Amino acid sequence: GRLRQIISPEGADGSLAVHQDARVYAGLFDGSEESADLDVGPGRNVYVHVARGSLEVNGERLSEGDGARLRDAGALRFANGEDAEVLVFDLRPNELPTMPH
């Protein structure tokens, strides 16, 4: 029921350090009582990938295999997961991954 930073530029909170302006978070959510908020800085791009299950991101339901690209998202809320595993990529604008068609 929370997001854990697993990659960051400075290796914050025991995460893997990379020499890029990028942060990656992983989270597991199951049930209405588990939720997390993530504040993304101004001018940032975010890519959310649901690896397993389903959950709501800012009220929008995403299911296994779904992805969402957000620009200048501000605050993100992850909630109402059903056996959900999610990855969140916080990237500067020129590092946003391309989504397959």
Side-chain angles (χ1 to χ4, degrees):
R2 68 185 183 106
L3 291 173
R4 177 168 172 84
Q5 188 168 219
I6 58 173
I7 298 173
S8 69
E10 63 283 333
D13 301 322
S15 63
L16 177 65
V18 294
H19 299 289
Q20 299 292 323
D21 186 5
R23 289 164 184 76
V24 179
Y25 301 84
L28 301 172
F29 299 91
D30 193 28
S32 60
E33 64 282 347
E34 294 187 359
S35 64
D37 296 306
L38 178 64
D39 289 322
V40 180
R44 303 291 291 181
N45 288 326
V46 175
Y47 177 75
V48 178
H49 176 73
V50 180
R52 182 181 64 183
S54 66
L55 82 160
E56 292 178 3
V57 179
N58 289 357
E60 292 291 325
R61 192 92 187 147
L62 298 176
S63 297
E64 186 171 317
D66 286 347
R69 292 189 324 182
L70 306 144
R71 291 195 169 105
D72 285 322
L76 297 173
R77 178 136 181 97
F78 300 85
N80 298 315
E82 294 179 14
D83 195 29
E85 185 173 340
V86 64
L87 293 171
V88 182
F89 300 82
D90 171 4
L91 309 165
R92 70 174 198 232
N94 65 347
E95 295 177 344
L96 190 63
T98 303
M99 290 183 62
H101 297 285

